[in-house]
Amino acid sequence: MFGQDRDSLRAAYAGAWQRHLERLPLDLQQQRIVDVLTVHPEYQALMMDPAALARDFDGSGGVTNPYLHMGLHVAIREQLGTGLPPEATQAHARLASRLGDRHAAEHCLIDCLAQTLWQAQRDGREPDFEQYREALRGL
């Protein structure tokens, strides 16, 4: 999305939120970020806090990395927007209908994506997207 630079990525999130607050036009990616922040009000203040932008979120104390969480939401929304993989769109539709909550359905897809990415990182390999698609079919 913005390369591998953590600071650039976080600045993009903060910039999108700032543009939203100032009612400035947003591009598609900024709109996705704002949409995710809208359903996660607990992260909104972080976008305006320079200390939070520089903070390491290492999972200690049970604290979730908000940027990772939002990034996974953005990735899922990109998949849903493009229809690729089709299993994501199908799983999301099934879950949203069953749960009555599109956001909760996204979280189920996020779990599959996060697991796929974690396994790839743990094993030092590329993500196994066939495994990801299979996990989505199983939802």
Side-chain angles (χ1 to χ4, degrees), residues 17-118:
W17 189 245
Q18 185 63 45
R19 290 183 66 81
H20 166 72
L21 294 176
E22 294 174 7
R23 299 186 186 278
L24 295 171
L26 303 171
D27 64 25
L28 179 60
Q29 197 68 328
Q30 291 168 331
Q31 187 60 59
R32 282 191 178 120
I33 291 168
V34 167
D35 290 346
V36 169
L37 278 161
T38 300
V39 296
H40 281 286
E42 69 274 22
Y43 298 153
Q44 293 171 8
L46 290 173
M47 297 303 103
M48 308 313 295
D49 180 0
L53 293 174
R55 181 176 167 197
D56 285 327
F57 293 92
D58 60 8
S60 62
V63 177
T64 300
N65 181 331
Y67 299 100
L68 174 60
H69 185 80
M70 290 184 293
L72 290 167
H73 268 292
V74 169
I76 293 298
R77 288 174 181 220
E78 287 175 350
Q79 291 176 7
L80 297 175
T82 63
L84 296 173
E87 292 85 354
T89 305
Q90 295 159 0
H92 187 260
R94 280 193 312 272
L95 289 164
S97 176
R98 183 171 13 138
L99 300 171
D101 184 343
R102 296 180 56 80
H103 185 231
E106 275 184 35
H107 276 218
C108 294
L109 275 67
I110 283 172
D111 289 344
C112 292
L113 180 58
Q115 180 69 21
T116 299
L117 296 174
W118 175 81

